[in-house]
Amino acid sequence: MNFIHEDFLLHSKTARRLYHDYAASQPILDYHSHLSPADIATDRRFRNLFEIWLEGDHYKWRAMRANGISERFCKGKATPREKFVAWARTVPFTLRNPLYHWSHLELKRYFGIDGLLDEHSASSVWNQANAFLSSGNLTARSILRKFNVRALCTSDDPCDHLRHHRSLVASKPGFRVYPTFRPDRAFLVNDPANFNAWIRQLGEASNIEISSLRNFLDALKQRHDFFHATGGRLSDHGLERCHATPCTERRAAAIFRNSRSGKAATNQEQEQFASYLMLFFGRLDAERGWTKQLHLGALREVNTRRLRELGPDAGFDSTGDWTQAKAFCMYLDCLERELALPKTIVYNLNPADNYAFATAVGSFQDGSIAGKIQFGSGWWFLDQKEGIEWQINALSSTGLLSRFIGMVTDSRSFMSFPRHEYFRRILCDLLGHDVENGDLPNDEQLLGGMVRDICFENARQYLGLELAPVSEKRER
Ligand SMILES: [Zn+2]
């Protein structure tokens, strides 16, 4: 039997039935990704397996470095083919790492390749995949259609023109692509050069002259409105932990003024300013009925020598261990007291905090929307079999798994859509195991309905994104 076979990861009869009869056919609503809207709008064609699979993949670089492969073959100057061969040579050493599963699942789903990837198969895999890519059947758009993606959200700076998103609406590609409002640079009062450069862009994008905190907030709101008009219904923040330090408007205005005149905020001032802004952003999202996403707990760029050599996002980040629960609850509580708490999804990076987040989420449900505050899917280092099971188990034990809005790829690569399949198999396997143990009733309608909801329907209802009509789809 091939390694990736139709019952991969499905260890019981019930798991197989739930997956094949209920999960597999569900469309994908990938509500958090980092795919390039330009690539989708221009229907990018990938020249070779390196471009579509290895370029920009820090998971693979980390494994290669750990396997003693020189940087030349990761982010260095080796040719695409040399880099691919170095990766292929590493794959047999990734046994039990999720990369081993992901890689073979991806080769199978995109190129129909069944064998195991290693040094010996590298050449034939390279040739087979490249032939497939040059046939023009795996362009950015045809990949989205192939995986039955009904809607996808990108991550975008508030200054972005969203031209590609708008042109995609007009071209009716068979799926929808929505922007996500991600104002990371709005917090940079501790780095005046960067902050002021960004404010210049924000001023131009919003056509508002930004001379005070008030105009700054007006410009941000204007961009939020613009994202809304383009169909956006989500925001996102990547933070070490929630900012929840009290800060008056006067104090925020003074910190803003100082940074505008080139005086960097201290750590304490930065925290105050960020706290002030996070409440502002929370209110904007609540007013518009948006969903706020919080990605908490990444300890980024810990290796300064490699950061200097290779730049950011090269694979030198790890799991942080800040205390999270109190600040997270304080943030939600501040908004809740004003009746301005938007729908919120929190993604956690430290599994030790799973119960803290899963229970915090339960303390802010208000009966207005099912699963209003979501404990999001396993993220980054937790986006793997064990991490996915931990998240599902913590949520099941303290909240309502049945109201969970499911998986996201959170990826920069068009080769990541099988992550949804991977998640669905793990979900069905857990449920199947419980049924066969007698811990859940053997009620196919009940369980199948829940599986379908978690795979797609819950996200559809919760996020309120308009989806492309099914008839718009041209290929499967
Ligand atoms: Zn992300």
Side-chain angles (χ1 to χ4, degrees):
M1 201 196 299
N2 293 321
F3 177 51
I4 304 294
H5 54 88
E6 64 167 17
D7 294 331
F8 176 59
L9 299 181
L10 302 170
H11 300 107
S12 67
K13 216 172 103 219
T14 309
R16 293 191 279 274
R17 215 177 56 225
L18 288 174
Y19 178 74
H20 294 299
D21 295 352
Y22 296 92
S25 62
Q26 288 304 301
I28 287 176
L29 208 173
D30 201 26
Y31 55 89
H32 178 67
S33 90
H34 298 268
L35 289 177
S36 151
D39 283 352
I40 306 169
T42 59
D43 201 14
R44 178 174 175 188
R45 278 179 86 133
F46 301 89
R47 279 178 300 183
N48 54 50
L49 186 54
F50 170 80
E51 271 191 15
I52 195 171
W53 206 34
L54 272 75
E55 192 182 63
D57 189 341
H58 49 75
Y59 289 92
K60 292 190 179 71
W61 297 332
R62 282 169 73 97
M64 288 162 79
R65 291 173 192 134
N67 198 38
I69 303 268
S70 134
E71 194 61 41
R72 201 170 98 78
F73 300 96
C74 304
K75 283 208 78 185
K77 291 206 161 32
T79 64
R81 187 182 173 127
E82 287 171 334
K83 287 178 176 174
F84 170 73
V85 172
W87 164 240
R89 204 179 299 144
T90 296
V91 169
F93 293 91
T94 66
L95 287 169
R96 297 203 87 234
N97 183 287
L99 283 163
Y100 199 81
H101 283 170
W102 293 342
S103 298
H104 290 102
L105 195 56
E106 287 157 9
L107 289 176
K108 171 82 178 168
R109 293 292 172 252
Y110 285 73
F111 308 111
I113 292 172
D114 274 313
L116 301 181
L117 179 57
D118 58 23
E119 197 172 357
H120 309 291
S121 60
S123 191
S124 74
V125 167
W126 176 258
N127 292 333
Q128 202 177 328
N130 289 350
F132 217 97
L133 288 168
S134 64
S135 74
N137 291 327
L138 278 179
T139 62
R141 291 189 187 196
S142 57
I143 288 169
L144 295 180
R145 288 191 287 262
K146 177 180 166 64
F147 285 91
N148 201 8
V149 176
R150 295 284 300 281
L152 172 135
C153 299
T154 58
S155 300
D156 309 272
D157 187 281
C159 302
D160 196 283
H161 45 68
L162 306 185
R163 214 171 287 135
H164 300 302
H165 294 86
R166 282 178 291 145
S167 83
L168 274 162
V169 176
S171 71
K172 292 198 169 46
F175 49 81
R176 294 289 156 90
V177 181
Y178 292 109
T180 300
F181 189 81
R182 179 147 169 163
D184 290 348
R185 292 177 74 190
F187 300 97
L188 292 176
V189 280
N190 54 339
D191 178 0
N194 206 340
F195 186 59
N196 287 313
W198 188 70
I199 287 195
R200 267 192 298 282
Q201 288 175 35
L202 180 66
E204 277 162 29
S206 60
N207 211 10
I208 289 176
E209 200 181 313
I210 300 172
S211 56
S212 67
L213 178 67
R214 266 287 122 212
N215 321 136
F216 177 57
L217 301 183
D218 288 344
L220 288 170
K221 176 167 170 26
Q222 200 259 34
R223 298 311 293 166
H224 196 274
D225 290 343
F226 178 68
F227 273 56
H228 189 86
T230 312
R233 296 291 181 270
L234 290 99
S235 67
D236 183 30
H237 304 276
L239 305 171
E240 292 179 345
R241 57 205 285 273
C242 260
H243 298 292
T245 301
C247 177
T248 61
E249 179 165 342
R250 236 176 108 178
R251 182 88 190 114
I255 297 166
F256 178 82
R257 254 192 328 270
N258 284 341
S259 189
R260 288 291 280 150
S261 63
K263 185 166 172 259
T266 63
N267 287 343
Q268 197 209 357
E269 287 168 340
Q270 203 271 335
E271 167 65 24
Q272 287 177 318
F273 187 77
S275 301
Y276 182 85
L277 270 191
M278 281 302 289
L279 290 179
F280 174 76
F281 288 133
R283 291 178 200 119
L284 287 186
D285 290 344
E287 271 166 30
R288 286 297 205 170
W290 282 26
T291 301
K292 176 173 289 306
Q293 299 171 97
L294 299 165
H295 285 88
L296 303 181
L299 183 56
R300 292 175 197 267
E301 310 301 353
V302 293
N303 188 330
T304 51
R305 180 174 74 83
R306 306 312 299 277
L307 176 64
R308 273 200 296 271
E309 283 171 9
L310 302 169
D313 303 322
F316 298 95
D317 313 291
S318 45
T319 296
D321 56 358
W322 296 276
T323 53
Q324 295 282 357
K326 197 169 174 189
F328 176 65
C329 285
M330 277 173 70
Y331 176 59
L332 299 194
D333 188 48
C334 287
L335 290 167
E336 176 73 2
R337 274 183 296 184
E338 298 179 20
L339 299 178
L341 179 60
K343 291 178 282 182
T344 300
I345 310 168
V346 61
Y347 305 89
N348 169 39
L349 197 55
N350 188 333
D353 295 329
N354 275 359
Y355 267 69
F357 280 112
T359 53
V361 154
S363 300
F364 291 93
Q365 306 291 7
D366 65 5
S368 62
I369 298 160
K372 176 177 172 180
I373 313 296
Q374 289 274 326
F375 178 36
S377 59
W379 169 49
W380 201 341
F381 299 114
L382 297 180
D383 174 13
Q384 29 80 5
K385 188 166 181 286
E386 189 174 52
I388 290 170
E389 288 172 354
W390 282 338
Q391 186 270 351
I392 290 175
N393 286 331
L395 176 59
S396 302
S397 301
T398 63
L400 299 183
L401 175 66
S402 53
R403 294 299 191 176
F404 177 39
I405 63 167
M407 186 63 178
V408 292
T409 59
D410 195 357
S411 178
R412 289 172 166 75
S413 163
F414 283 88
M415 288 276 286
S416 294
F417 289 105
R419 301 286 175 88
H420 286 270
E421 173 185 342
Y422 195 64
F423 167 84
R424 290 171 185 189
R425 287 177 184 271
I426 292 164
L427 172 70
C428 292
D429 191 52
L430 281 175
L431 294 172
H433 179 265
D434 284 356
V435 170
E436 313 244 333
N437 272 359
D439 297 343
L440 288 176
N442 192 1
D443 182 331
E444 189 167 321
Q445 239 186 340
L446 180 65
L447 289 156
M450 176 163 101
V451 165
R452 268 202 298 246
D453 286 348
I454 295 171
C455 292
F456 177 72
E457 191 56 29
N458 284 347
R460 187 186 72 76
Q461 289 188 20
Y462 178 89
L463 297 167
L465 295 166
E466 202 180 302
L467 303 180
V470 178
S471 58
E472 223 180 76
K473 269 201 304 275
R474 285 190 292 268
E475 61 193 86
R476 276 287 300 279

